[in-house]
Amino acid sequence: MKVVLQKVSQAKVTSGNIQNEINQGYLLLVGIGESSTYSDAEVLAKKIAKTRIFEDENGKMNLDIHQVNGEILSISQFTIYASVKKGNRPGFSNAKRPEEALKIYEYFNEQLESYNINVKTGEFGAHMDVSLTNDGPITIIFESKEGNIQ
């Protein structure tokens, strides 16, 4: 399982009539791979909830999302598992099938919420328009395999 975290001052997702937005917090692009498990979702949620990348009074990245009352906008994105080794068109066979991926994605978001974080989402499997203001810019890639942070 891979998560691309972007620290944002604002982010918004629109899909048809559905719209969600946050102010300060994280935009998460969540990829569920063929071998991704519920254990991966648990360890990544815990790691992200405790990550300290917000500035304290001395300008050091020392505060977590709770300490700044931040929110999360979580977007499913199977293209994170694209293979570009052959040809010019990416292959997506490394991504978990949608029915199974949805369950792990929802579980991941529930795990984030269990850390008392307000989590908003896009629409799983839909075409979405995502906009954000990357704060920093700070972008970090989190990955877990077999329940272990990589």
Side-chain angles (χ1 to χ4, degrees):
M1 185 169 170
K2 296 179 187 179
V3 178
V4 178
L5 177 153
Q6 294 182 297
K7 180 180 157 206
V8 298
S9 56
Q10 68 80 32
K12 179 170 92 171
V13 62
T14 305
S15 174
N17 294 329
I18 298 172
Q19 178 175 316
N20 266 322
E21 58 187 303
I22 63 167
N23 290 311
Q24 184 178 40
Y26 301 148
L27 171 70
L28 303 181
L29 303 175
V30 182
I32 311 294
E34 185 59 41
S35 65
S36 297
T37 66
Y38 289 95
S39 294
D40 294 323
E42 290 171 7
V43 298
L44 287 175
K46 180 178 182 180
K47 190 72 164 177
I48 290 167
K50 296 182 179 291
T51 294
R52 300 182 310 164
I53 58 173
F54 292 95
E55 292 80 16
D56 63 16
E57 64 278 358
N58 298 314
K60 288 200 157 254
M61 289 195 300
N62 203 27
L63 303 176
D64 66 29
I65 194 166
H66 298 98
Q67 294 169 295
V68 298
N69 296 314
E71 300 177 286
I72 289 177
L73 181 57
S74 175
I75 307 293
S76 64
Q77 190 166 4
F78 74 94
T79 59
I80 289 173
Y81 276 93
S83 173
V84 294
K85 288 182 182 178
K86 291 183 175 181
N88 295 317
R89 193 181 86 192
F92 300 106
S93 61
N94 294 331
K96 193 173 274 297
R97 293 183 175 267
E99 320 75 58
E100 300 167 27
L102 174 59
K103 293 175 186 174
I104 294 175
Y105 171 69
E106 288 174 339
Y107 184 72
F108 171 70
N109 292 327
E110 290 167 6
Q111 290 298 300
L112 289 169
E113 289 172 336
S114 77
Y115 291 98
N116 296 315
I117 302 170
N118 184 28
V119 178
K120 297 180 181 178
T121 64
E123 184 179 357
F124 185 90
H127 175 24
M128 295 173 271
D129 292 320
V130 180
S131 63
L132 68 130
T133 302
N134 191 318
D135 182 14
I138 295 175
T139 301
I140 301 172
I141 300 171
F142 292 81
E143 185 172 1
S144 176
K145 290 182 181 172
E146 298 176 359
N148 296 302
I149 299 291
Q150 301 296 295

